[in-house]
Structures are given as structure tokens and as C-alpha cells.
Amino acid sequence: MMTALAPPGSRLQRVNPLVKLLAIVPPVTLAMLSNDPYLPSALALLAVLTLWIGGVSLRQLVRAVLPAAALILFFLVSYPLVIRRELVLDTPVIFSLGGLEVRWGALQAGAKAGLRIFALVTLTLVFSLTTDGAAFVRALVQQARLPYRVGFAFIAAFRFLPLIQQEVSVIRAAHRARGVDDGPGPLGLFRRVRRMAVPLLASAIRQAERAALAMDGRAFGAFPQRTWLHRAHFTYADPLFLAAFWLSVAAILWGLGQLGLLAPLVIVQRL
Amino acid sequence: MIHVTQLSIRYYSRRRPAVHDVNLQVRDGECVLLLGPSGCGKSTLALALNGLIPHSLEAELSGSVVLDGLDTQRTPLAQLTQRAGLVLQDPEAQLVTLQVEDEIAFGLENLCLPPATIHQRIGEALAAVHLSHLRHTPVWALSGGQKQRVALASLLAMRPRTLIFDEPTAHLDPRGAHMVFEQIAELRRLGQHTLILIEHRLDALMDLVDRVVVLDADGRPLLDGCPCKVFDHTNAPHLHRLGVWMPQVSLLAHRLGLRPVPFTLAGARQLLAEQRPKLARGASIARTANAAPHGPLVVRVQGLSCAYGSHVVLRDIHLDVQAGECLAIVGANGAGKTTLAKHIAGIATPPPGRVFVCGLDVAQTPAKQLMRHVGFVFQNPEHQFVTSSVADELRYSLRHAQHPPAHVEAQVQTLLARFKLERYANVNPFTLSHGEKRRLSVAAILATARDVLVLDEPTFGQDQQTGYAIMQMLRDLQREGCTIIFTTHDMTLVAEYADRVAVLQGGRLVFHDTPRELFRQGELLHRANLDMPPLRQLAEALGVGATTLEDWVQLLQPTEIAAA
């Protein structure tokens, strides 16, 4: 989780986390509502370019983006199998395999769905791949007025999730060593959860208690406010980034519109 | 100054007080060692000394603690944190941020200090623990010893006069522990702090200690005085019965009747030089004891490698273990000890043809069959409990081993008696004490596995007496023909109990021979983050060949041994 971050000091890391979050809201909304393959493709391309220019190495980029790209393929293959036939009856058959007819409309719908998700993932990466958890919490507390106790609950979660995960795997192994076999299926899962609940809860409570002591022992919560070594700032780079990113999104909309490739957004259609 | 007056503390969930009528005065600049059997309330007292009890952890408290003139019950915690800081034992749980710099800033930010001051104090605190170069390192990338130093730095930055250490090395390998001890020694030398230590690796610390305070099992103060008095012959049987950790050199003196009882290595060395002038340099005991048995091979590891993703944990391990042998696996944290042990017990599945136990390929033997030959006891006994009563734990195992139902009950009774758990047959395992939990976990595994018992740090968190009892129990099993394999950081255990020792370093097996041979190789010990057991260090200093307590006894009382 933490190793996947872009190098500190890279361009996108320096942009305020809140600004990054704000920046991706309009394109994420557009991608969700899009009803053609072109808009999500263009937005995904914008996201990938932003990441690349922003200082994420190509290798890291490929590793983060590739699993999402696999989703496009998945939708492309699965849509012809599951789509309601009457929806695509008026489109030409591309090929048929036994009883299965693969129609142009089904492929198109699959591509649209896959690309939509791909765009959502890559746009979110602009934020998540370049934002340090602590910096985000700092910005939330200092600039978005989140109470600092709540902010530190997030940081504690960042720290403890991996520990709890590790504990779960140790307890599972320990139970297997006793010959526990809860069997497959939901019933097995239920039995396993019930068996693991006590030891897991016992150790989670102990961990939490120790962490609370460590925090209280360093005067956590002593005053209604606290100071911060690092101030979360807005710098000149923030509005520049926001403007450039949003202008690019607008340019994409305008360009696609000019080319006649933009289908009406989903809400517009419903109205 | 710390004044503790008639302090009693009871947790609301317990009937009996954890700490009972404690009176204690600690002068500025003093270094006090707090001892007692496990569960005696040492940690509770530590939490009360800096006000975390009752401010953070609620408990019924009577009497008073006055810290630098401030009554801890009436002073806000924020003020107390600038008087006394507490280093806890678990390095994972006490670091609360994601980066070293943030970690040290944390307390100062809570005190609302201006950033410029925070900046300066971080620099000073990191310099004090010699970690300035790690200022911008993420916390997860630190070693255990470094984490404890960061925890200390985060307290030092708040400039407390008193520092309390609650088993700061319990989770660390010997090198990590050494790192922490050196740090404490340095604080002691600088003399600006009052130090209160709870620790059981005593031999490395005794040079620093002015005073020892011992609590008994009920949390009542038992002894308070200079180490030379506390560890002397009159108190020894008492402390021993309580399970209080004592310096190895003091144990040696008790055993041999040496007076005055030494408590540091230097003291023991001087004493032996004066009182046993005949102890010739180069004297060595006959090498018959501790020789490895020559049974058939029961465990064979042939070219085992293991990696998690790109992280290689084990590299081409070859290791044979003979039936009836006791093998210790040692090495730094992360060297692969537990992983190797898990592969031998089939907890982790090795590739086919690499690990054989009792002639069975671990990779290709069904778990149920393998379980009858080899069992694995996890470091935390709680992890392995799967039922809600002690007797049920044993029944569960026995049924799994497909014992005929008629035998199960008889077998349960035998095991309960053997592991001294009869009284607790219907008790929930989670409510047992540390030592009892460990005994139960061994009993439950032993109920199915007959040939090889693999244990991950069997004495972790135990006091001296329960730890000793566990090792004696393992030795008895070994005498009955069981093969014992255990991982540990405690070199005294290795010296006293292991026939052979396997040293791992960065996933490679770099040594496999007797403990005696290992402790002769200083360079290897250093490379593998290990150290010598205190009594071996004493032998080195005097130039004689002895490793264990028994060696010393043989060396110094040859006639009595012969007579016996």
C-alpha cells in the first residue's frame, strides 16, 4: 500500500491532496455517466498522461493500470453472453458460435462498460497513487476542519490494518495446525469466523489498548487544538494544476462533441 | 523525585488488586530495576508512575504517586508526560504515525509547541539515539531495535526527567536488545534522567542498576535495596520460588555457595579470580556432556528455498535432525527461523522432495497423517485455542488423532495431570496464566503429534520459573524419544538445552553444530546478530572453557560432582 506511492517530491505529490481530490470529481462523474466508448477512453488517457507527467514512473504506471485494463477485456468477453438479446437485435451479427450470436451491439455495450470502469480506476489513481496517507489526513484536519482526533483514527487504521491482516493469517495457520478444517462454502466461512473471533478480538483489543496508552503517554488529546510540524499549504501549483486538469477535461468534451462522438450522458437520456 | 505512598491499584474487571500497598521513593538520577514474577503488577506500577493510570486506563486507585512534586491524580496528563515517559515492550503498537519525523513530532504537536521548536527538538532527540540519518524513513522500514530507539526519541523530545522502560527488548533479537541496552547505558552515563527499568535480560543491565525493587506475586513489595543484598544467599530461594529473573552470574554464585554474591560480569570475574586462583587459564570440562545423540534421521531438509514475492526468506537450506535430538534455530529477526520451523512442521507447504519428516515428504503427505508425527506450537499460545475449556482442547486433539473414544477420556486425564492442569479442566483457556497457557498449548499439540515437536519461541513472555519449567518439560519429552526443535533469541536456553543449533542469516544456514562450538565463534555470532550467554562471556573473560551453569559447577567443584 505504501510502497506503491510515487516518489516523494514528484510533481503530483506536491499538489495539495484536497485539490487533487477536487480535481478528479468532474471527470469521475463524467466517466460514470458516459454512454459511449470515446469519452471514458479520452478521460483514461488524460489520467494516465497526468500521472506520467506528474512523476509516476512508467513501470509503476503499468503495474497499477494493467489490472484495470484487464477488466475491459473481461467485459468485452462477458457482455455478449449475458446481455438481453432484444437490446441488440437490431445490430449486425459479427460471428456466431454454435447457438451464440455475437452482435455488434453487445460488443459495444461491453466496451462501454469496461472503459467506464477503466476510466474510473485510472482517474482515482491520480489521487491515490500520488498521495501519502498522512499528508491527506493533515490536509483534511488543517484545511477541511476535520477534528484531529478523527484524523488520527484514519492514521491508526493505516498503521493497524496490515498488523491485523497479519494476525488473521497467523491465527488461521495456528488453527490449521490443530487440525481445524471448517469445510468449504458459506457454512465453513461462518464456522471459521466464529472460531477466529475470540482470539482476533482479544489481540485487536490489546493492540488498541497499547496504542492508546502510547498516544496518551505523549499527551494526545490534551488540548482542543494541536500544532503541526508540517503545515498543509495551498501553493500556486494547486490552482494551476486544477485549471489545467479541468481545461483538459473541457477540451475533451468539446473535441468529442465537435467530432460527433459524444453520446448523451446517462441522466440526460433518462430525462 | 518520585514518591509512591501506600499505592494500591485494582482494575475494575478484577477482584484482586494488581498492585498492593506499594511504598517507593526514587531519587533524581537513580536507576531502579523493578522485578517480579509475570503478572505481579510491574507494568501496572509503571503505568501509575507516569499517570497513565488513572488518566488513560481507568482503575481503582488508593494511596498516591507524586512525581516531581505533582500528585499524578490531580495533575493533567499533558503535564505529567513532560515529567515521565514510558517505553513499552511492543515496538509495533507504540509507534502511532507512519514516518520517523512525524513520530517524534507527535507528542510535541500535542503539546502545541511551535513548529520551529518541534523541528529543533526532533533534531536533538534523533541525535541522542543516533538515528539522525533515518529522519525521513517510513516506520515500517525500521528494524525492531531501531523502532524502540525511535519510541525512546519520541519521549526524549518531550524532555521528561524520568524514563520508564517496560520490557523494551522482549520482542527484539540479541542485536536489537544490545542496541537498546547501549542506549540505556548512555542515558545512565549522561546522568540527566531517572531510570526505571523492567527487564529480564539482566546480565546486560546490572552494571547500570543502583537499586532493585522486587514485587511478589500479589503485587506487594518484597525487597528493596542494592543488588548485592537483593540477590544474596538468604533471598535466593525465595526469589527462585517466585520465578523472579536473576542475573546468571548470581545464579552461579548461589549454586556454588560463593560469597559475596556477584551480580555483574565484572564482579563475578573478580570474585572468581580472587577466590579460585587455582582455576587455571585454559581449564576446560570433559566434552562428554551435551554430545548429540546418534539416532536415525527424523527430519531431513534438502535444498529448501522459499520466497514471498521477490523477498527471499530461505535459501537452499540443508539440515538433518536425528531422532531424540533437541535443535535450536537462532538468528536475527527476519532471518527465516520461524519460516524454516513452519516448513518442517508442514504449517507452510514446502516444494515436493525438499522436507521429510519420519520419512514422509511434507509436501505430499495429507495434513491429518502428518499431524500424527509432527506438531507446531505457535509463539502466542492463544492463537491455537479452538474450544472453550481446557479439557475440550485436549479432547479436540485426541479425537483428531482418531484415538478410540474409550481412550480419549483416560488420555485427557493423563495429559491434564502430566502438564499440571487438572485444576483447570473446565476453565476457559483464555483465562489461564501465561505459563499455564503455554503448557496447555504444548499438551494439545502433543496429544496428536508423537515424534517431532516444533516450537516457536516457547519461553516468550514467561518468567524465569515458568520458562525453566517449560524447558524441563521439553527435556523430559526428549528423554522419552521425542525430537524437539525450537526457535529462540535466548542464548542461555540454547546453551543449556540444545544438543545442536542451526544459525540462520539472511535466509541461509550459516552454522549447524553444537552450542559449544557456536559460542566459540565470535565473528559468526556478530555477523548473525547473536551474542554469547552471560556465563560463556564470563568464561571467555577468565580464559576457561565453560558454557553452561553445569559446566561451571563441574569446573569448580569436580570432587563433589564425582562424589554425587
Side-chain angles (χ1 to χ4, degrees):
Chain A
M1 179 176 65
M2 279 166 277
T3 44
L5 279 182
S10 63
R11 289 190 197 94
L12 264 178
Q13 278 245 29
R14 284 198 307 255
V15 177
N16 186 294
L18 300 177
V19 171
K20 271 184 279 188
L21 204 55
L22 183 66
I24 63 171
V25 171
V28 161
T29 318
L30 282 173
M32 272 195 297
L33 303 178
S34 71
N35 198 20
D36 62 73
Y38 310 108
L39 181 57
S41 306
L43 291 174
L45 191 68
L46 171 66
V48 171
L49 276 175
T50 309
L51 283 165
W52 187 54
I53 297 170
V56 178
S57 73
L58 267 178
R59 198 164 144 250
Q60 226 182 350
L61 203 54
V62 168
R63 213 170 349 159
V65 168
L66 218 53
L71 273 178
I72 306 179
L73 204 67
F74 169 77
F75 280 103
L76 218 49
V77 174
S78 61
Y79 255 59
L81 303 177
V82 297
I83 199 162
R84 262 164 47 214
R85 204 160 157 271
E86 61 270 26
L87 285 179
V88 292
L89 216 52
D90 54 343
T91 60
V93 177
I94 301 198
F95 61 90
S96 54
L97 246 175
L100 181 76
E101 277 177 349
V102 174
R103 285 178 185 266
W104 176 238
L107 282 183
Q108 223 177 6
K112 273 191 271 182
L115 284 167
R116 211 182 289 152
I117 299 215
F118 182 66
L120 286 178
V121 172
T122 45
L123 284 166
T124 328
L125 284 176
V126 171
F127 173 76
S128 63
L129 206 57
T130 64
T131 306
D132 165 53
F136 179 42
V137 170
R138 215 153 35 220
L140 277 176
V141 174
Q142 294 180 24
Q143 296 171 312
R145 303 287 162 98
L146 184 80
Y148 75 84
R149 286 163 221 254
V150 179
F152 269 94
F154 281 116
I155 293 191
F158 273 124
R159 283 234 352 106
F160 283 102
L161 268 180
L163 295 181
I164 300 275
Q165 262 169 356
Q166 201 186 349
E167 191 80 357
V168 169
S169 69
V170 171
I171 295 176
R172 275 191 70 178
H175 285 186
R176 271 205 305 273
R178 292 291 311 276
V180 170
D181 179 10
D182 288 317
L187 209 67
L189 183 70
F190 172 73
R191 276 195 290 258
R192 189 191 307 151
V193 168
R194 202 183 52 179
R195 206 187 294 282
M196 292 191 49
V198 176
L200 196 60
L201 217 62
S203 82
I205 289 173
R206 210 169 299 156
Q207 289 261 17
E209 197 171 69
R210 283 184 202 144
L213 286 175
M215 291 170 86
D216 288 352
R218 283 189 273 149
F220 183 70
F223 302 106
Q225 263 91 43
R226 75 200 289 277
T227 52
W228 295 83
L229 174 61
H230 298 290
R231 296 289 328 169
H233 289 296
F234 291 119
T235 63
Y236 71 94
D238 295 321
L240 273 180
F241 167 76
L242 201 63
F245 195 70
W246 281 356
L247 276 177
S248 312
V249 174
I252 286 170
L253 280 177
W254 182 79
L256 291 176
Q258 286 294 305
L259 292 169
L261 297 174
L262 200 61
L265 297 182
V266 176
I267 350 175
V268 181
Q269 213 176 23
R270 292 245 166 88
L271 283 176
Chain B
M1 270 300 256
I2 302 173
H3 281 272
V4 179
T5 318
Q6 294 190 316
L7 180 72
S8 291
I9 299 168
R10 185 179 67 87
Y11 292 111
Y12 290 120
S13 57
R14 299 285 165 85
R15 239 178 310 138
R16 283 149 41 107
V19 167
H20 229 127
D21 209 13
V22 172
N23 289 294
L24 180 67
Q25 257 139 63
V26 183
R27 277 178 289 112
D28 282 346
E30 215 176 358
C31 178
V32 176
L33 175 68
L34 202 53
L35 290 177
S38 78
C40 74
K42 301 184 291 275
S43 298
T44 304
L45 183 55
L47 291 170
L49 289 181
N50 74 340
L52 282 171
I53 293 179
H55 288 289
S56 176
L57 204 61
E58 289 193 7
E60 187 184 277
L61 186 148
S62 65
S64 72
V65 179
V66 178
L67 183 66
D68 296 342
L70 302 172
D71 183 334
T72 58
Q73 288 175 78
R74 265 174 254 134
T75 312
L77 194 54
Q79 235 172 309
L80 297 174
T81 56
Q82 298 170 75
R83 309 277 170 172
L86 171 62
V87 179
L88 300 165
Q89 67 167 253
D90 186 352
E92 289 304 335
Q94 65 184 314
L95 299 186
V96 296
T97 68
L98 307 169
Q99 208 208 41
V100 170
E101 187 183 59
D102 290 341
E103 189 63 37
I104 296 166
F106 179 77
L108 308 172
E109 293 170 334
N110 290 333
L111 293 174
C112 296
L113 296 181
T117 314
I118 296 178
H119 217 79
Q120 185 201 344
R121 289 219 195 162
I122 292 174
E124 289 167 11
L126 279 175
V129 299
H130 310 287
L131 290 180
S132 300
H133 57 294
L134 297 180
R135 182 165 180 155
H136 299 289
T137 310
V139 162
W140 54 262
L142 302 173
S143 76
Q146 288 170 338
K147 280 182 188 159
Q148 288 299 62
R149 282 188 170 202
V150 169
L152 175 61
S154 72
L155 296 172
L156 285 174
M158 301 177 78
R159 303 200 170 151
R161 170 113 194 120
T162 303
L163 288 167
I164 309 163
F165 295 83
D166 187 358
E167 303 227 20
T169 70
H171 290 261
L172 306 182
D173 57 29
R175 170 76 61 84
H178 186 70
M179 226 175 168
V180 171
F181 290 144
E182 288 223 305
Q183 190 65 56
I184 297 176
E186 195 176 318
L187 291 172
R188 177 82 183 115
R189 270 198 307 280
L190 294 173
Q192 291 165 349
H193 294 95
T194 307
L195 300 174
I196 294 173
L197 313 174
I198 300 173
E199 182 52 63
H200 69 256
R201 301 190 202 201
L202 298 184
D203 290 82
L205 274 183
M206 288 315 298
D207 285 322
L208 316 175
V209 172
D210 300 310
R211 217 171 113 199
V212 180
V213 174
V214 182
L215 298 183
D216 71 10
D218 295 324
R220 289 175 205 277
L222 182 73
L223 296 165
D224 182 349
C226 130
C228 55
K229 292 243 172 58
V230 170
F231 297 124
D232 74 8
H233 288 284
T234 34
N235 292 326
H238 222 72
L239 295 179
H240 194 76
R241 213 170 26 248
L242 266 177
V244 173
W245 289 95
M246 286 180 268
Q248 294 285 320
V249 291
S250 305
L251 292 175
L252 177 66
H254 298 156
R255 183 71 188 274
L256 295 169
L258 296 174
R259 265 166 231 280
V261 175
F263 55 93
T264 64
L265 273 180
R269 183 182 167 185
Q270 198 186 354
L271 184 84
L272 283 173
E274 280 166 14
Q275 299 196 355
R276 291 291 182 349
K278 279 179 287 180
L279 189 67
R281 266 194 104 74
S284 188
I285 52 132
R287 302 213 35 209
T288 48
N290 231 0
H294 293 283
L297 287 184
V298 67
V299 174
R300 294 209 77 160
V301 180
Q302 296 178 315
L304 173 67
S305 297
C306 161
Y308 298 127
S310 60
H311 175 59
V312 180
V313 188
L314 295 175
R315 296 165 200 265
D316 195 29
I317 305 274
H318 291 261
L319 182 71
D320 288 341
V321 187
Q322 286 163 342
E325 184 177 309
C326 179
L327 171 76
I329 303 176
V330 300
N333 282 338
K337 298 184 300 293
T338 303
T339 308
L340 175 59
K342 282 185 172 170
H343 278 92
I344 292 173
I347 299 297
T349 311
R354 300 297 183 198
V355 183
F356 297 87
V357 173
C358 300
L360 303 167
D361 185 343
V362 168
Q364 289 167 341
T365 309
K368 271 204 166 159
Q369 194 186 347
L370 197 63
M371 266 177 66
R372 266 178 255 159
H373 298 284
V374 54
F376 188 89
V377 181
F378 278 70
Q379 189 194 90
N380 181 349
E382 286 182 3
H383 284 159
Q384 281 188 296
F385 296 149
V386 295
T387 70
S388 51
S389 91
V390 168
D392 278 347
E393 283 295 315
L394 301 175
R395 276 185 206 112
Y396 187 94
S397 290
L398 291 163
R399 292 213 185 101
H400 252 273
Q402 282 154 357
H403 277 254
H407 285 195
V408 168
E409 280 316 303
Q411 197 55 29
V412 167
Q413 293 312 319
T414 317
L415 282 165
L416 285 175
R418 158 146 213 188
F419 290 90
K420 301 196 190 76
L421 293 165
E422 303 104 312
R423 280 197 291 156
Y424 307 111
N426 298 316
V427 161
N428 188 311
F430 278 87
T431 61
L432 297 174
S433 76
H434 277 305
E436 291 153 3
K437 278 180 190 157
R438 169 60 73 213
R439 292 210 298 275
L440 175 60
S441 67
V442 173
I445 294 297
L446 206 65
T448 51
R450 294 262 144 229
D451 301 317
V452 183
L453 201 55
V454 186
L455 306 101
D456 193 14
E457 300 203 38
T459 60
F460 182 83
Q462 305 285 337
D463 59 34
Q464 185 141 13
Q465 203 200 356
T466 51
Y468 175 79
I470 286 159
M471 292 317 288
Q472 282 304 321
M473 175 180 91
L474 295 179
R475 179 168 275 178
D476 291 342
L477 290 171
Q478 192 195 356
R479 293 219 172 99
E480 291 163 27
C482 190
T483 305
I484 307 287
I485 298 174
F486 69 98
T487 69
T488 188
H489 286 314
D490 184 340
M491 295 302 126
T492 300
L493 278 194
V494 174
E496 297 283 342
Y497 293 95
D499 301 311
R500 283 176 171 267
V501 52
V503 179
L504 293 179
Q505 185 200 342
R508 283 181 209 284
L509 181 69
V510 291
F511 176 92
H512 180 214
D513 204 332
T514 61
R516 258 171 240 285
E517 192 51 43
L518 172 64
F519 296 126
R520 218 170 274 154
Q521 302 196 14
E523 194 270 332
L524 172 74
L525 289 171
H526 184 76
R527 203 153 36 92
N529 275 11
L530 304 173
D531 58 4
M532 282 183 205
L535 290 183
R536 174 71 202 174
Q537 286 175 32
L538 180 64
E540 291 275 311
L542 288 166
V544 298
T547 307
T548 66
L549 190 63
E550 289 311 314
D551 289 355
W552 275 102
V553 173
Q554 253 189 66
L555 206 60
L556 294 170
Q557 295 183 325
T559 47
E560 283 158 56
I561 295 288

